């Protein structure tokens, strides 16, 4: 089994080869990786209820409904930039706040768990993990903006957070594919919207990487951990 191994540098850290800088401000970091069944059995009783509770909050349900209305009014996505060219529009801030409410980030901040200890258990031998970091922004927000609410709502878990057994990965893979397997003109629109969201990120990697891990975990017979935190 591979290890995340937190590599400290003067200007940030490296996680699975991805630089997460903090010298110029915090970074939103999202990991999707394979996790062994014993580790899933240990983590799920703590994480799954927290993820479900976060998704069930009245504020989350209401904000998601607002995003659906705003995106429909905007032709499939909310406007990101104000007319003066300054980020953010009010609609974009609502989307950002919606997906920034991460159960793992809250548990890591409160000390209920330490996310790096779990990232260190990611099974890199089974599947190469996906990691994306965006300075001062949220990679999940960029992906959801690209997908739109209809597809994003099909992604198992909540706002980029998920813990699933091997059996759940296999059963939920069609839902992950329905969310992320975008092709043709729709794919081009999704990539353009991801690029339009603030922050430096690799649009194709952000769209394709999570599904690659889902498919790899299903084939390898492992569980799956997806978690988004700030560093």
């Amino acid at each position: 089994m591979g290890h995340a191994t937190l590599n400290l540098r003067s200007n940030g850290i490296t996680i699975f080869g991805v630089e997460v800088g903090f010298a110029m401000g915090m970074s939103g970091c999202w990991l999707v990786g394979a996790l062994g069944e014993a580790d899933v059995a240990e983590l799920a009783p703590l994480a799954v209820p927290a993820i479900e509770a976060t998704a069930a909050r009245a504020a989350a349900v209401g904000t998601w409904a607002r995003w659906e209305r705003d995106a429909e009014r905007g032709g499939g996505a909310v406007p990101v930039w104000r007319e003066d060219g300054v980020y953010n529009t009010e609609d974009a801030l609502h989307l950002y706040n919606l997906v920034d409410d991460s159960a793992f980030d809250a548990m890591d901040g409160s000390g209920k768990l330490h996310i790096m200890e779990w990232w260190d258990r990611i099974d890199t031998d089974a599947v190469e993990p996906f990691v994306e970091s965006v300075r001062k922004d949220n990679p999940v927000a960029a992906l959801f903006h690209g997908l739109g609410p209809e597809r994003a709502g099909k992604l198992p878990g909540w706002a980029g957070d998920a813990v699933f057994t091997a059996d759940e990965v296999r059963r939920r893979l069609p839902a992950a594919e329905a969310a992320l397997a975008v092709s043709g003109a729709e794919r081009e629109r999704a990539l353009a919207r991801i690029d339009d969201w603030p922050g430096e990120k690799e649009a194709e990697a952000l769209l394709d990487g999570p599904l690659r891990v889902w498919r790899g975990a299903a084939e390898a017979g492992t569980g799956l951990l997806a978690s988004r935190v700030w560093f």
Side-chain angles (χ1 to χ4, degrees), residues 3-4 14-20 28-35 115-116 118-120 122-134 138-144 147 155 159-162 180 187 191 194 200-217 222-229 231:
H3 297 282
T14 301
I15 302 169
F16 293 117
V18 175
E19 294 185 358
V20 182
C29 191
W30 187 32
L31 175 141
V32 184
L35 196 65
I115 195 61
M116 284 305 304
W118 291 99
W119 287 8
D120 204 42
I122 291 296
D123 190 347
T124 59
D125 294 331
V127 184
E128 181 184 355
F130 164 77
V131 183
E132 181 64 89
S133 171
V134 180
N138 186 330
V140 181
L143 176 63
F144 276 27
L147 293 173
L155 185 65
D161 288 342
L180 299 168
R187 176 182 174 85
L191 292 173
I194 292 171
E200 295 183 7
K201 86 289 287 182
E202 295 291 335
E204 289 194 0
L206 187 53
L207 184 59
D208 298 336
L211 184 55
R212 172 185 58 76
V213 177
W214 268 92
R215 287 170 170 166
T222 69
L224 182 139
L225 168 62
S227 51
R228 206 279 311 149
V229 296
F231 285 111

Side-chain angles (χ1 to χ4, degrees), residues 77-83 85-93 95 137 141 145 192-198:
V78 298
V80 176
W81 304 92
R82 300 202 306 257
E83 291 184 2
V86 178
Y87 166 71
N88 265 311
T89 65
E90 183 179 354
D91 292 345
L93 283 171
L95 171 56
D137 217 291
H145 178 61
R193 289 169 178 168
I194 292 171
D195 277 332
D196 191 46
W197 193 265

